[in-house]
Amino acid sequence: MLDVKLFHMKSFLPMPYEAALAPRLKRAHDMLQAGNGLGGEFTGWVHLPRDYDKAEFDRIQAAAAKIRSDSKALVVIGIGGSYLGARGVIDCLCSPNYNLKKKDTPNIYFAGNGLSADALQEILELVEGEDFSVNVISKSGTTTEPAVAFRFFREALEKKYGKEGARGRIYATTDKARGALKSLADAEGWETFVVPDEVGGRFSVLTAVGLLPIAVTGVDISELMAGAAEMMDRCTTDASFDCPAWRYAAIRYELYRSGRSVELLACYDPAFRFMLEWWKQLYGESEGKDDKGLFPASVEFTADLHSMGQYIQQGRRLMFETVVRLGASHARLSVPTDAQDGDGLNFLAGTDMDFIRDKAMEGTLLAHTEGGVPNIIVEADGKTPRALGQLIYFFEYACGLSGYLLDVNPFDQPGVEAYKKNMFALLGKPGYEDRRAELEAKLAQ
Ligand code: PA5
């Protein structure tokens, strides 16, 4: 089972804080459980691993099997919470090089997560000669980036297979009743999957949003849900500092109160890169409001020790680190012997790569704490669907607790609208005329 450990934390937080914080954590816990805190209408994710729609889950498995049988590629169109979780899980469990591997499951391409014409064109070209399907994902059904990308891929599908043929290759994941995508899907007869009303985008990886693309790769999504359910049981029943989510939420809150403003999430496995991105959205959008919140940043070790390591060791003391340890690698590799020993590394000959990685981690923990950077360790239960399910739920639950400790609504994201309004005004969307004149004047200054 996942665990949270504090590394030499007493030198950073000498005062005991658990007793003082326990009543506030209990209150946060109760609000999450009852769904009666700020944004409580978006706490459907809390019991999702138990209450998820089993019939829809079977439809997801069936759709994934169909996509595997009739497609060489799946284009997943979505942005933010509508893609980061799926990408994180697929990279972590199937490898960032998944598309390059020999396999009997479709390639997965992620589109609609930006506005780059080059990125879009590249994926259009990559799927051009292939049988492909599209999973367009948008809870609101109105987000510009995925909606624009979908136009291109829908056109490509309809050109290739005709309207009727394309119909069997478009899967829309969206609100159960509202939004432009839902109306379009109903009118066109596309198969639809639901983003439940009470689950916000960044908490939606364990709904059809994440599960359909993940299932297409052959990852066992039942195991993912089982792992999440294990952590849900732990978080639900264990309202104490024995619960890893309590310990993590508490320590990061205390570090924030003591003046830290940046949390670096670190991992020693490059396959975890998009899980780091998923985590950044989860915590950034949930906590960063009302002039509050830790800035969530990420580092990939050991690569970033050779780029960000200098700043972490000796730059402004802004940050603390949370290191995710995934446990043993699947590959067992030991360092080859070199008769000449030209690089002087024969003292490592025969040594397992995991052992070297772990020593690098221990050396880094010691160096960074000595350099004034507190470290938290999240020990995952391995690099398996079940362990990742635990980890996802752990971070979600700790995020909910953290938001309530900060007295913010962890489930809204009003700040995301600001750029959208300006973009629409500058693009000449009807209704934004006054704002457009004002913005163009500002740009001209
Ligand atoms: O967490 C959120 O709610 C957002 O980041 C959304 O996931 C993102 O903006 C995409 O929204 P939608 O799924 O409505 O297209």
Side-chain angles (χ1 to χ4, degrees), residues 165-401:
R167 185 167 295 138
R169 291 176 173 274
I170 297 176
Y171 303 84
T173 306
T174 188
D175 188 271
K176 70 171 184 310
R178 289 181 302 263
L181 181 57
K182 175 64 181 160
S183 313
L184 203 56
D186 285 348
E188 296 290 336
W190 303 326
E191 176 153 21
T192 57
F193 295 95
V194 174
V195 194
D197 281 347
E198 57 287 358
V199 180
R202 58 190 172 276
F203 288 85
S204 69
V205 55
L206 299 175
T207 70
V209 170
L211 295 178
L212 178 56
I214 294 167
V216 170
T217 66
V219 165
D220 187 344
I221 56 173
S222 307
E223 277 290 292
L224 199 64
M225 295 306 283
E230 282 169 359
M231 187 53 70
M232 180 197 75
D233 287 344
R234 183 84 189 270
C235 293
T236 305
T237 53
D238 202 353
S240 78
F241 280 92
D242 289 339
C243 173
W246 271 51
R247 289 208 295 285
Y248 177 53
I251 194 67
R252 59 194 300 286
Y253 177 70
E254 287 300 315
L255 288 166
Y256 172 70
R257 285 202 325 132
S258 72
R260 303 282 158 170
S261 52
V262 176
E263 179 175 8
L264 289 177
L265 192 72
C267 188
Y268 283 72
D269 190 330
F272 204 70
R273 174 179 293 182
F274 270 89
M275 286 305 297
L276 299 174
E277 297 301 320
W278 168 82
W279 172 88
K280 285 195 281 194
Q281 186 201 356
L282 182 65
Y283 279 77
E285 276 192 354
S286 301
E287 292 189 308
K289 51 199 71 162
D290 306 341
D291 259 333
K292 297 179 188 171
L294 286 158
F295 182 82
S298 62
V299 277
E300 293 169 48
F301 289 160
T302 62
D304 286 341
L305 291 172
H306 298 259
S307 55
M308 301 297 289
Q310 172 58 37
Y311 194 105
I312 298 170
Q313 193 68 45
Q314 294 183 326
R316 279 192 69 194
R317 303 298 70 193
L318 306 165
M319 76 286 278
F320 67 89
E321 277 175 315
T322 300
V323 183
V324 177
R325 299 188 72 177
L326 294 176
S329 302
H330 298 304
R332 287 270 63 79
L333 285 181
S334 49
V335 178
T337 307
D338 177 9
Q340 273 76 47
D341 196 21
D343 53 13
L345 284 179
N346 266 358
F347 77 99
L348 289 178
T351 308
D352 192 87
M353 285 295 293
D354 274 6
F355 181 80
I356 300 175
R357 176 202 65 185
D358 290 347
K359 293 300 142 191
M361 193 197 95
E362 287 165 15
T364 307
L365 282 172
L366 289 163
H368 288 182
T369 43
E370 278 164 19
V373 179
N375 265 258
I376 304 168
I377 302 170
V378 176
E379 296 266 9
D381 215 11
K383 203 167 137 187
T384 61
R386 190 174 278 252
L388 209 53
Q390 288 181 8
L391 189 69
I392 287 168
Y393 191 90
F394 157 77
F395 275 131
E396 289 181 348
Y397 203 76
C399 183
L401 293 174

